[in-house]
Amino acid sequence: DGLCDLAWDGRWLYATVSGATNAIIVFTNITRILQGDMGDIEPDEFIILGEWGFPGEEHREPAGIAVNDEYLYVSDRYNGEALIWRKSNIREGAPPDFTLKPCGYDVAVNGRYVFLGDDQWGRILVFDKELLSGGPKYVIGRESVEDQFIVQLPSRRLLATPRGIYATEDQLFVADKNFYLPSILIYNITEMRSGLEADALIGVLWPRNPKYGLEIVDDMLLSLIHISEPT
């Protein structure tokens, strides 16, 4: 099994695992490890929200993860939806309190919005954090929510294959994993609207398919890019 993503809220560490077993694991006493106690994690020090095996009726494939004071957000790339738990409801095997669609590999959240990456149609769907049942309020990477078409290369106006997402209160960072021009796009989201253009596009010409992780740490943008050797 492989670790997909991590999130930390200052108290608990949240992880998604994908492979033969797909799971969402909440480590409830990781501070012991951070303080230098490297002993084994005991069964009462973690919670498994869900554990799914090979494809079947209840199969899920958790990937991206985000957390704030109220909710835990996990992208389920197998079913194309975001799973949302109230943190007060987190317990062994607890079902999600909400689901949002469509969602691909990643999800992000800030104080106002929830962002879902829809890599199938090259867009980021933006939901009001307080009105999760109302459908997306805005879309980034397309002009309207109804736009469903594919592009091969990202631009400041259009996305191709958004995979990694990270949001602050003022900016949205998107890692676009397209085949020809893997890119990081940076948006000013202080005045949100559909069809918002990126302020910056940082691209690398490479004729292969990279995989992305994206994070902001101490005002630095960190992006993990895995590139296969040309054959």
Side-chain angles (χ1 to χ4, degrees):
D1 293 344
L3 177 67
C4 288
D5 203 3
L6 294 170
W8 166 251
D9 64 2
R11 180 189 177 202
W12 289 354
L13 180 69
Y14 306 80
T16 53
V17 176
S18 180
T21 296
N22 298 279
I24 302 163
I25 305 174
V26 183
F27 297 94
T28 58
N29 195 20
I30 199 68
T31 52
R32 175 174 62 81
I33 304 298
L34 297 176
Q35 291 167 356
D37 184 350
M38 301 303 292
D40 292 338
I41 297 176
E42 299 298 329
D44 62 350
E45 293 182 313
F46 63 88
I47 298 168
I48 299 179
L49 275 177
E51 189 172 7
W52 304 277
F54 290 106
E57 184 178 354
E58 297 298 327
H59 183 74
R60 295 191 184 278
E61 193 173 351
I65 193 167
V67 66
N68 61 15
D69 291 341
E70 296 178 88
Y71 295 104
L72 171 67
Y73 307 82
V74 177
S75 63
D76 172 10
R77 62 190 180 190
Y78 182 84
N79 294 291
E81 61 187 9
L83 313 174
I84 304 173
W85 283 264
R86 288 189 177 92
K87 289 170 68 176
S88 59
N89 289 345
I90 290 177
R91 63 189 185 279
E92 194 80 12
D97 295 288
F98 306 98
T99 58
L100 296 178
K101 291 185 177 184
C103 184
Y105 278 74
D106 208 1
V107 59
V109 62
N110 67 8
R112 297 182 62 188
Y113 303 112
V114 178
F115 303 87
L116 306 187
D118 179 13
D119 53 328
Q120 179 181 5
W121 297 114
R123 58 189 184 167
I124 306 295
L125 298 175
V126 185
F127 292 77
D128 188 315
K129 189 171 69 70
E130 306 302 327
L131 298 171
L132 296 179
S133 61
K137 190 172 184 178
Y138 305 105
V139 62
I140 293 174
R142 297 292 183 266
E143 294 296 324
S144 73
V145 176
E146 290 73 29
D147 287 345
Q148 293 185 346
F149 58 86
I150 295 172
V151 300
Q152 296 298 321
L153 295 173
S155 66
R156 293 191 178 190
R157 188 173 62 87
L158 298 175
L159 290 168
T161 315
R163 286 285 176 89
I165 317 171
Y166 187 89
T168 68
E169 296 307 305
D170 299 329
Q171 292 180 302
L172 179 70
F173 302 83
V174 178
D176 193 302
K177 173 209 158 293
N178 64 92
F179 193 79
Y180 296 105
L181 187 67
S183 304
I184 304 293
L185 296 98
I186 305 173
Y187 299 84
N188 181 344
I189 55 174
T190 55
E191 296 183 7
M192 181 68 75
R193 63 182 181 277
S194 289
L196 184 70
E197 291 193 14
D199 293 308
L201 185 154
I202 308 167
V204 179
L205 286 170
W206 189 268
R208 285 294 182 271
N209 240 341
K211 305 298 185 287
Y212 277 104
L214 188 65
E215 198 74 29
I216 305 295
V217 179
D218 295 333
D219 295 326
M220 294 186 294
L221 170 64
L222 305 177
S223 182
L224 175 64
I225 306 177
H226 168 74
I227 301 177
S228 301
E229 291 293 329
T231 55

PDB file of all heavy atoms in Angstrom, residues 127-161:
ATOM      1  N   PHE A 127     -16.936  25.650  -4.024  1.00  0.00           N
ATOM      2  CA  PHE A 127     -18.155  25.605  -3.235  1.00  0.00           C
ATOM      3  C   PHE A 127     -18.059  26.566  -2.061  1.00  0.00           C
ATOM      4  O   PHE A 127     -16.978  26.740  -1.475  1.00  0.00           O
ATOM      5  CB  PHE A 127     -18.383  24.191  -2.676  1.00  0.00           C
ATOM      6  CG  PHE A 127     -18.699  23.151  -3.709  1.00  0.00           C
ATOM      7  CD1 PHE A 127     -17.706  22.617  -4.515  1.00  0.00           C
ATOM      8  CD2 PHE A 127     -19.998  22.687  -3.866  1.00  0.00           C
ATOM      9  CE1 PHE A 127     -17.989  21.643  -5.467  1.00  0.00           C
ATOM     10  CE2 PHE A 127     -20.299  21.715  -4.802  1.00  0.00           C
ATOM     11  CZ  PHE A 127     -19.293  21.198  -5.605  1.00  0.00           C
ATOM     12  N   ASP A 128     -19.176  27.174  -1.706  1.00  0.00           N
ATOM     13  CA  ASP A 128     -19.261  27.953  -0.476  1.00  0.00           C
ATOM     14  C   ASP A 128     -19.109  26.991   0.697  1.00  0.00           C
ATOM     15  O   ASP A 128     -19.839  26.010   0.806  1.00  0.00           O
ATOM     16  CB  ASP A 128     -20.607  28.680  -0.418  1.00  0.00           C
ATOM     17  CG  ASP A 128     -20.692  29.656   0.743  1.00  0.00           C
ATOM     18  OD1 ASP A 128     -20.292  29.293   1.866  1.00  0.00           O
ATOM     19  OD2 ASP A 128     -21.171  30.780   0.537  1.00  0.00           O
ATOM     20  N   LYS A 129     -18.177  27.270   1.584  1.00  0.00           N
ATOM     21  CA  LYS A 129     -17.886  26.351   2.688  1.00  0.00           C
ATOM     22  C   LYS A 129     -19.081  26.140   3.610  1.00  0.00           C
ATOM     23  O   LYS A 129     -19.219  25.099   4.257  1.00  0.00           O
ATOM     24  CB  LYS A 129     -16.688  26.870   3.500  1.00  0.00           C
ATOM     25  CG  LYS A 129     -16.168  25.897   4.545  1.00  0.00           C
ATOM     26  CD  LYS A 129     -14.875  26.380   5.149  1.00  0.00           C
ATOM     27  CE  LYS A 129     -15.052  27.610   6.006  1.00  0.00           C
ATOM     28  NZ  LYS A 129     -15.785  27.313   7.272  1.00  0.00           N
ATOM     29  N   GLU A 130     -19.970  27.130   3.678  1.00  0.00           N
ATOM     30  CA  GLU A 130     -21.132  27.033   4.556  1.00  0.00           C
ATOM     31  C   GLU A 130     -22.375  26.513   3.848  1.00  0.00           C
ATOM     32  O   GLU A 130     -23.413  26.313   4.485  1.00  0.00           O
ATOM     33  CB  GLU A 130     -21.424  28.405   5.183  1.00  0.00           C
ATOM     34  CG  GLU A 130     -20.249  29.033   5.905  1.00  0.00           C
ATOM     35  CD  GLU A 130     -19.707  28.155   7.021  1.00  0.00           C
ATOM     36  OE1 GLU A 130     -20.511  27.432   7.640  1.00  0.00           O
ATOM     37  OE2 GLU A 130     -18.483  28.190   7.264  1.00  0.00           O
ATOM     38  N   LEU A 131     -22.317  26.327   2.526  1.00  0.00           N
ATOM     39  CA  LEU A 131     -23.487  25.877   1.756  1.00  0.00           C
ATOM     40  C   LEU A 131     -23.088  24.699   0.873  1.00  0.00           C
ATOM     41  O   LEU A 131     -23.177  24.761  -0.359  1.00  0.00           O
ATOM     42  CB  LEU A 131     -24.046  27.018   0.899  1.00  0.00           C
ATOM     43  CG  LEU A 131     -24.571  28.244   1.654  1.00  0.00           C
ATOM     44  CD1 LEU A 131     -24.876  29.377   0.690  1.00  0.00           C
ATOM     45  CD2 LEU A 131     -25.824  27.878   2.455  1.00  0.00           C
ATOM     46  N   LEU A 132     -22.663  23.613   1.491  1.00  0.00           N
ATOM     47  CA  LEU A 132     -22.115  22.498   0.730  1.00  0.00           C
ATOM     48  C   LEU A 132     -23.162  21.803  -0.129  1.00  0.00           C
ATOM     49  O   LEU A 132     -22.826  21.154  -1.121  1.00  0.00           O
ATOM     50  CB  LEU A 132     -21.475  21.489   1.685  1.00  0.00           C
ATOM     51  CG  LEU A 132     -20.264  22.011   2.476  1.00  0.00           C
ATOM     52  CD1 LEU A 132     -19.746  20.933   3.406  1.00  0.00           C
ATOM     53  CD2 LEU A 132     -19.167  22.480   1.537  1.00  0.00           C
ATOM     54  N   SER A 133     -24.436  21.917   0.224  1.00  0.00           N
ATOM     55  CA  SER A 133     -25.481  21.237  -0.546  1.00  0.00           C
ATOM     56  C   SER A 133     -25.992  22.072  -1.716  1.00  0.00           C
ATOM     57  O   SER A 133     -26.854  21.636  -2.458  1.00  0.00           O
ATOM     58  CB  SER A 133     -26.666  20.894   0.371  1.00  0.00           C
ATOM     59  OG  SER A 133     -27.223  22.070   0.926  1.00  0.00           O
ATOM     60  N   GLY A 134     -25.449  23.258  -1.903  1.00  0.00           N
ATOM     61  CA  GLY A 134     -25.991  24.151  -2.927  1.00  0.00           C
ATOM     62  C   GLY A 134     -25.343  24.062  -4.290  1.00  0.00           C
ATOM     63  O   GLY A 134     -25.685  24.821  -5.179  1.00  0.00           O
ATOM     64  N   GLY A 135     -24.398  23.127  -4.485  1.00  0.00           N
ATOM     65  CA  GLY A 135     -23.710  23.038  -5.771  1.00  0.00           C
ATOM     66  C   GLY A 135     -22.584  24.046  -5.859  1.00  0.00           C
ATOM     67  O   GLY A 135     -22.465  24.950  -5.029  1.00  0.00           O
ATOM     68  N   PRO A 136     -21.707  23.907  -6.869  1.00  0.00           N
ATOM     69  CA  PRO A 136     -20.573  24.823  -6.993  1.00  0.00           C
ATOM     70  C   PRO A 136     -21.027  26.252  -7.257  1.00  0.00           C
ATOM     71  O   PRO A 136     -21.968  26.500  -8.009  1.00  0.00           O
ATOM     72  CB  PRO A 136     -19.775  24.257  -8.172  1.00  0.00           C
ATOM     73  CG  PRO A 136     -20.749  23.433  -8.942  1.00  0.00           C
ATOM     74  CD  PRO A 136     -21.725  22.902  -7.946  1.00  0.00           C
ATOM     75  N   LYS A 137     -20.338  27.195  -6.613  1.00  0.00           N
ATOM     76  CA  LYS A 137     -20.653  28.615  -6.776  1.00  0.00           C
ATOM     77  C   LYS A 137     -19.851  29.231  -7.913  1.00  0.00           C
ATOM     78  O   LYS A 137     -20.349  30.121  -8.612  1.00  0.00           O
ATOM     79  CB  LYS A 137     -20.362  29.341  -5.466  1.00  0.00           C
ATOM     80  CG  LYS A 137     -20.866  30.773  -5.413  1.00  0.00           C
ATOM     81  CD  LYS A 137     -20.712  31.344  -4.013  1.00  0.00           C
ATOM     82  CE  LYS A 137     -21.304  32.744  -3.934  1.00  0.00           C
ATOM     83  NZ  LYS A 137     -21.195  33.296  -2.543  1.00  0.00           N
ATOM     84  N   TYR A 138     -18.622  28.764  -8.095  1.00  0.00           N
ATOM     85  CA  TYR A 138     -17.746  29.275  -9.149  1.00  0.00           C
ATOM     86  C   TYR A 138     -16.984  28.101  -9.771  1.00  0.00           C
ATOM     87  O   TYR A 138     -16.951  26.994  -9.216  1.00  0.00           O
ATOM     88  CB  TYR A 138     -16.726  30.274  -8.590  1.00  0.00           C
ATOM     89  CG  TYR A 138     -17.316  31.432  -7.827  1.00  0.00           C
ATOM     90  CD1 TYR A 138     -17.230  31.467  -6.431  1.00  0.00           C
ATOM     91  CD2 TYR A 138     -17.937  32.481  -8.474  1.00  0.00           C
ATOM     92  CE1 TYR A 138     -17.752  32.528  -5.715  1.00  0.00           C
ATOM     93  CE2 TYR A 138     -18.471  33.549  -7.763  1.00  0.00           C
ATOM     94  CZ  TYR A 138     -18.371  33.567  -6.383  1.00  0.00           C
ATOM     95  OH  TYR A 138     -18.899  34.614  -5.673  1.00  0.00           O
ATOM     96  N   VAL A 139     -16.358  28.370 -10.905  1.00  0.00           N
ATOM     97  CA  VAL A 139     -15.459  27.397 -11.530  1.00  0.00           C
ATOM     98  C   VAL A 139     -14.211  28.134 -11.986  1.00  0.00           C
ATOM     99  O   VAL A 139     -14.283  29.265 -12.481  1.00  0.00           O
ATOM    100  CB  VAL A 139     -16.147  26.666 -12.704  1.00  0.00           C
ATOM    101  CG1 VAL A 139     -16.532  27.627 -13.811  1.00  0.00           C
ATOM    102  CG2 VAL A 139     -15.255  25.551 -13.238  1.00  0.00           C
ATOM    103  N   ILE A 140     -13.055  27.516 -11.803  1.00  0.00           N
ATOM    104  CA  ILE A 140     -11.773  28.046 -12.267  1.00  0.00           C
ATOM    105  C   ILE A 140     -11.228  27.077 -13.302  1.00  0.00           C
ATOM    106  O   ILE A 140     -11.289  25.863 -13.131  1.00  0.00           O
ATOM    107  CB  ILE A 140     -10.795  28.203 -11.096  1.00  0.00           C
ATOM    108  CG1 ILE A 140     -11.292  29.297 -10.142  1.00  0.00           C
ATOM    109  CG2 ILE A 140      -9.382  28.526 -11.584  1.00  0.00           C
ATOM    110  CD1 ILE A 140     -10.470  29.435  -8.884  1.00  0.00           C
ATOM    111  N   GLY A 141     -10.699  27.623 -14.385  1.00  0.00           N
ATOM    112  CA  GLY A 141     -10.201  26.789 -15.478  1.00  0.00           C
ATOM    113  C   GLY A 141     -11.168  26.680 -16.633  1.00  0.00           C
ATOM    114  O   GLY A 141     -10.806  26.195 -17.711  1.00  0.00           O
ATOM    115  N   ARG A 142     -12.411  27.100 -16.426  1.00  0.00           N
ATOM    116  CA  ARG A 142     -13.429  27.194 -17.463  1.00  0.00           C
ATOM    117  C   ARG A 142     -14.247  28.453 -17.212  1.00  0.00           C
ATOM    118  O   ARG A 142     -14.214  29.025 -16.130  1.00  0.00           O
ATOM    119  CB  ARG A 142     -14.345  25.959 -17.471  1.00  0.00           C
ATOM    120  CG  ARG A 142     -13.645  24.646 -17.795  1.00  0.00           C
ATOM    121  CD  ARG A 142     -13.165  24.596 -19.226  1.00  0.00           C
ATOM    122  NE  ARG A 142     -12.551  23.303 -19.543  1.00  0.00           N
ATOM    123  CZ  ARG A 142     -11.256  23.050 -19.457  1.00  0.00           C
ATOM    124  NH1 ARG A 142     -10.425  23.995 -19.011  1.00  0.00           N
ATOM    125  NH2 ARG A 142     -10.775  21.862 -19.785  1.00  0.00           N
ATOM    126  N   GLU A 143     -15.021  28.864 -18.206  1.00  0.00           N
ATOM    127  CA  GLU A 143     -15.808  30.081 -18.069  1.00  0.00           C
ATOM    128  C   GLU A 143     -17.065  29.870 -17.237  1.00  0.00           C
ATOM    129  O   GLU A 143     -17.529  30.775 -16.553  1.00  0.00           O
ATOM    130  CB  GLU A 143     -16.188  30.628 -19.455  1.00  0.00           C
ATOM    131  CG  GLU A 143     -14.994  31.119 -20.268  1.00  0.00           C
ATOM    132  CD  GLU A 143     -14.306  32.306 -19.617  1.00  0.00           C
ATOM    133  OE1 GLU A 143     -15.000  33.153 -19.013  1.00  0.00           O
ATOM    134  OE2 GLU A 143     -13.066  32.393 -19.704  1.00  0.00           O
ATOM    135  N   SER A 144     -17.642  28.670 -17.306  1.00  0.00           N
ATOM    136  CA  SER A 144     -18.862  28.399 -16.550  1.00  0.00           C
ATOM    137  C   SER A 144     -18.857  26.948 -16.083  1.00  0.00           C
ATOM    138  O   SER A 144     -18.131  26.104 -16.622  1.00  0.00           O
ATOM    139  CB  SER A 144     -20.106  28.676 -17.390  1.00  0.00           C
ATOM    140  OG  SER A 144     -20.277  27.671 -18.376  1.00  0.00           O
ATOM    141  N   VAL A 145     -19.686  26.651 -15.094  1.00  0.00           N
ATOM    142  CA  VAL A 145     -19.770  25.300 -14.553  1.00  0.00           C
ATOM    143  C   VAL A 145     -20.241  24.313 -15.610  1.00  0.00           C
ATOM    144  O   VAL A 145     -19.906  23.126 -15.576  1.00  0.00           O
ATOM    145  CB  VAL A 145     -20.720  25.278 -13.323  1.00  0.00           C
ATOM    146  CG1 VAL A 145     -20.908  23.862 -12.811  1.00  0.00           C
ATOM    147  CG2 VAL A 145     -20.168  26.171 -12.213  1.00  0.00           C
ATOM    148  N   GLU A 146     -21.012  24.784 -16.565  1.00  0.00           N
ATOM    149  CA  GLU A 146     -21.545  23.898 -17.608  1.00  0.00           C
ATOM    150  C   GLU A 146     -20.497  23.508 -18.648  1.00  0.00           C
ATOM    151  O   GLU A 146     -20.714  22.560 -19.416  1.00  0.00           O
ATOM    152  CB  GLU A 146     -22.721  24.566 -18.324  1.00  0.00           C
ATOM    153  CG  GLU A 146     -23.983  24.698 -17.475  1.00  0.00           C
ATOM    154  CD  GLU A 146     -23.859  25.770 -16.402  1.00  0.00           C
ATOM    155  OE1 GLU A 146     -23.100  26.747 -16.625  1.00  0.00           O
ATOM    156  OE2 GLU A 146     -24.501  25.626 -15.348  1.00  0.00           O
ATOM    157  N   ASP A 147     -19.360  24.194 -18.711  1.00  0.00           N
ATOM    158  CA  ASP A 147     -18.339  23.897 -19.719  1.00  0.00           C
ATOM    159  C   ASP A 147     -17.686  22.547 -19.437  1.00  0.00           C
ATOM    160  O   ASP A 147     -17.103  22.341 -18.364  1.00  0.00           O
ATOM    161  CB  ASP A 147     -17.259  24.980 -19.721  1.00  0.00           C
ATOM    162  CG  ASP A 147     -17.753  26.283 -20.326  1.00  0.00           C
ATOM    163  OD1 ASP A 147     -18.815  26.256 -20.981  1.00  0.00           O
ATOM    164  OD2 ASP A 147     -17.082  27.311 -20.144  1.00  0.00           O
ATOM    165  N   GLN A 148     -17.790  21.642 -20.392  1.00  0.00           N
ATOM    166  CA  GLN A 148     -17.162  20.330 -20.277  1.00  0.00           C
ATOM    167  C   GLN A 148     -16.469  20.007 -21.596  1.00  0.00           C
ATOM    168  O   GLN A 148     -17.068  19.478 -22.520  1.00  0.00           O
ATOM    169  CB  GLN A 148     -18.189  19.251 -19.927  1.00  0.00           C
ATOM    170  CG  GLN A 148     -18.791  19.406 -18.550  1.00  0.00           C
ATOM    171  CD  GLN A 148     -19.705  18.269 -18.166  1.00  0.00           C
ATOM    172  OE1 GLN A 148     -20.118  17.471 -19.001  1.00  0.00           O
ATOM    173  NE2 GLN A 148     -20.053  18.176 -16.902  1.00  0.00           N
ATOM    174  N   PHE A 149     -15.199  20.379 -21.691  1.00  0.00           N
ATOM    175  CA  PHE A 149     -14.393  20.077 -22.857  1.00  0.00           C
ATOM    176  C   PHE A 149     -12.947  19.913 -22.407  1.00  0.00           C
ATOM    177  O   PHE A 149     -12.576  20.301 -21.302  1.00  0.00           O
ATOM    178  CB  PHE A 149     -14.521  21.166 -23.926  1.00  0.00           C
ATOM    179  CG  PHE A 149     -14.132  22.555 -23.463  1.00  0.00           C
ATOM    180  CD1 PHE A 149     -12.812  22.982 -23.501  1.00  0.00           C
ATOM    181  CD2 PHE A 149     -15.102  23.436 -22.987  1.00  0.00           C
ATOM    182  CE1 PHE A 149     -12.462  24.252 -23.080  1.00  0.00           C
ATOM    183  CE2 PHE A 149     -14.760  24.705 -22.559  1.00  0.00           C
ATOM    184  CZ  PHE A 149     -13.441  25.123 -22.604  1.00  0.00           C
ATOM    185  N   ILE A 150     -12.150  19.310 -23.245  1.00  0.00           N
ATOM    186  CA  ILE A 150     -10.768  18.955 -22.899  1.00  0.00           C
ATOM    187  C   ILE A 150      -9.791  19.840 -23.664  1.00  0.00           C
ATOM    188  O   ILE A 150      -9.996  20.132 -24.852  1.00  0.00           O
ATOM    189  CB  ILE A 150     -10.505  17.470 -23.229  1.00  0.00           C
ATOM    190  CG1 ILE A 150     -11.385  16.579 -22.334  1.00  0.00           C
ATOM    191  CG2 ILE A 150      -9.028  17.112 -23.038  1.00  0.00           C
ATOM    192  CD1 ILE A 150     -11.336  15.118 -22.708  1.00  0.00           C
ATOM    193  N   VAL A 151      -8.731  20.287 -22.993  1.00  0.00           N
ATOM    194  CA  VAL A 151      -7.620  20.974 -23.651  1.00  0.00           C
ATOM    195  C   VAL A 151      -6.336  20.219 -23.337  1.00  0.00           C
ATOM    196  O   VAL A 151      -6.232  19.527 -22.316  1.00  0.00           O
ATOM    197  CB  VAL A 151      -7.513  22.448 -23.212  1.00  0.00           C
ATOM    198  CG1 VAL A 151      -8.779  23.217 -23.559  1.00  0.00           C
ATOM    199  CG2 VAL A 151      -7.218  22.559 -21.728  1.00  0.00           C
ATOM    200  N   GLN A 152      -5.350  20.340 -24.213  1.00  0.00           N
ATOM    201  CA  GLN A 152      -4.098  19.604 -24.045  1.00  0.00           C
ATOM    202  C   GLN A 152      -3.056  20.370 -23.244  1.00  0.00           C
ATOM    203  O   GLN A 152      -2.225  19.760 -22.559  1.00  0.00           O
ATOM    204  CB  GLN A 152      -3.512  19.265 -25.428  1.00  0.00           C
ATOM    205  CG  GLN A 152      -4.372  18.330 -26.253  1.00  0.00           C
ATOM    206  CD  GLN A 152      -4.541  16.978 -25.599  1.00  0.00           C
ATOM    207  OE1 GLN A 152      -3.605  16.434 -25.006  1.00  0.00           O
ATOM    208  NE2 GLN A 152      -5.739  16.409 -25.687  1.00  0.00           N
ATOM    209  N   LEU A 153      -3.081  21.699 -23.323  1.00  0.00           N
ATOM    210  CA  LEU A 153      -2.094  22.527 -22.637  1.00  0.00           C
ATOM    211  C   LEU A 153      -2.802  23.537 -21.747  1.00  0.00           C
ATOM    212  O   LEU A 153      -3.790  24.142 -22.161  1.00  0.00           O
ATOM    213  CB  LEU A 153      -1.219  23.289 -23.638  1.00  0.00           C
ATOM    214  CG  LEU A 153      -0.310  22.465 -24.549  1.00  0.00           C
ATOM    215  CD1 LEU A 153       0.343  23.359 -25.581  1.00  0.00           C
ATOM    216  CD2 LEU A 153       0.754  21.755 -23.726  1.00  0.00           C
ATOM    217  N   PRO A 154      -2.315  23.752 -20.528  1.00  0.00           N
ATOM    218  CA  PRO A 154      -2.919  24.774 -19.675  1.00  0.00           C
ATOM    219  C   PRO A 154      -2.506  26.171 -20.125  1.00  0.00           C
ATOM    220  O   PRO A 154      -1.459  26.366 -20.754  1.00  0.00           O
ATOM    221  CB  PRO A 154      -2.355  24.458 -18.298  1.00  0.00           C
ATOM    222  CG  PRO A 154      -1.010  23.863 -18.584  1.00  0.00           C
ATOM    223  CD  PRO A 154      -1.181  23.089 -19.862  1.00  0.00           C
ATOM    224  N   SER A 155      -3.332  27.132 -19.812  1.00  0.00           N
ATOM    225  CA  SER A 155      -3.022  28.543 -20.007  1.00  0.00           C
ATOM    226  C   SER A 155      -3.506  29.280 -18.772  1.00  0.00           C
ATOM    227  O   SER A 155      -4.072  28.681 -17.852  1.00  0.00           O
ATOM    228  CB  SER A 155      -3.713  29.085 -21.265  1.00  0.00           C
ATOM    229  OG  SER A 155      -5.125  29.086 -21.100  1.00  0.00           O
ATOM    230  N   ARG A 156      -3.321  30.586 -18.734  1.00  0.00           N
ATOM    231  CA  ARG A 156      -3.807  31.335 -17.578  1.00  0.00           C
ATOM    232  C   ARG A 156      -5.330  31.303 -17.480  1.00  0.00           C
ATOM    233  O   ARG A 156      -5.879  31.509 -16.399  1.00  0.00           O
ATOM    234  CB  ARG A 156      -3.318  32.771 -17.647  1.00  0.00           C
ATOM    235  CG  ARG A 156      -1.806  32.900 -17.484  1.00  0.00           C
ATOM    236  CD  ARG A 156      -1.381  34.326 -17.295  1.00  0.00           C
ATOM    237  NE  ARG A 156       0.050  34.438 -17.093  1.00  0.00           N
ATOM    238  CZ  ARG A 156       0.660  35.546 -16.719  1.00  0.00           C
ATOM    239  NH1 ARG A 156      -0.046  36.648 -16.507  1.00  0.00           N
ATOM    240  NH2 ARG A 156       1.968  35.570 -16.557  1.00  0.00           N
ATOM    241  N   ARG A 157      -6.005  31.000 -18.567  1.00  0.00           N
ATOM    242  CA  ARG A 157      -7.473  30.988 -18.569  1.00  0.00           C
ATOM    243  C   ARG A 157      -8.039  29.577 -18.484  1.00  0.00           C
ATOM    244  O   ARG A 157      -9.095  29.363 -17.889  1.00  0.00           O
ATOM    245  CB  ARG A 157      -7.980  31.667 -19.846  1.00  0.00           C
ATOM    246  CG  ARG A 157      -9.490  31.880 -19.865  1.00  0.00           C
ATOM    247  CD  ARG A 157      -9.893  32.701 -21.071  1.00  0.00           C
ATOM    248  NE  ARG A 157      -9.559  32.034 -22.323  1.00  0.00           N
ATOM    249  CZ  ARG A 157     -10.362  31.168 -22.935  1.00  0.00           C
ATOM    250  NH1 ARG A 157     -11.533  30.853 -22.407  1.00  0.00           N
ATOM    251  NH2 ARG A 157     -10.005  30.606 -24.070  1.00  0.00           N
ATOM    252  N   LEU A 158      -7.340  28.588 -19.065  1.00  0.00           N
ATOM    253  CA  LEU A 158      -7.860  27.231 -19.142  1.00  0.00           C
ATOM    254  C   LEU A 158      -6.906  26.243 -18.464  1.00  0.00           C
ATOM    255  O   LEU A 158      -5.684  26.349 -18.611  1.00  0.00           O
ATOM    256  CB  LEU A 158      -8.053  26.806 -20.598  1.00  0.00           C
ATOM    257  CG  LEU A 158      -9.055  27.609 -21.427  1.00  0.00           C
ATOM    258  CD1 LEU A 158      -9.033  27.138 -22.876  1.00  0.00           C
ATOM    259  CD2 LEU A 158     -10.458  27.482 -20.853  1.00  0.00           C
ATOM    260  N   LEU A 159      -7.482  25.274 -17.747  1.00  0.00           N
ATOM    261  CA  LEU A 159      -6.701  24.192 -17.164  1.00  0.00           C
ATOM    262  C   LEU A 159      -6.824  22.944 -18.031  1.00  0.00           C
ATOM    263  O   LEU A 159      -7.812  22.774 -18.749  1.00  0.00           O
ATOM    264  CB  LEU A 159      -7.192  23.890 -15.751  1.00  0.00           C
ATOM    265  CG  LEU A 159      -6.881  24.955 -14.691  1.00  0.00           C
ATOM    266  CD1 LEU A 159      -7.666  24.690 -13.413  1.00  0.00           C
ATOM    267  CD2 LEU A 159      -5.390  25.011 -14.408  1.00  0.00           C
ATOM    268  N   ALA A 160      -5.817  22.073 -17.947  1.00  0.00           N
ATOM    269  CA  ALA A 160      -5.836  20.827 -18.707  1.00  0.00           C
ATOM    270  C   ALA A 160      -6.140  19.641 -17.789  1.00  0.00           C
ATOM    271  O   ALA A 160      -7.172  18.982 -17.923  1.00  0.00           O
ATOM    272  CB  ALA A 160      -4.508  20.628 -19.437  1.00  0.00           C
ATOM    273  N   THR A 161      -5.244  19.349 -16.834  1.00  0.00           N
ATOM    274  CA  THR A 161      -5.415  18.201 -15.942  1.00  0.00           C
ATOM    275  C   THR A 161      -5.014  18.588 -14.525  1.00  0.00           C
ATOM    276  O   THR A 161      -3.945  18.205 -14.042  1.00  0.00           O
ATOM    277  CB  THR A 161      -4.557  17.012 -16.428  1.00  0.00           C
ATOM    278  OG1 THR A 161      -4.698  16.851 -17.831  1.00  0.00           O
ATOM    279  CG2 THR A 161      -4.978  15.716 -15.733  1.00  0.00           C
TER     280      THR A 161
END
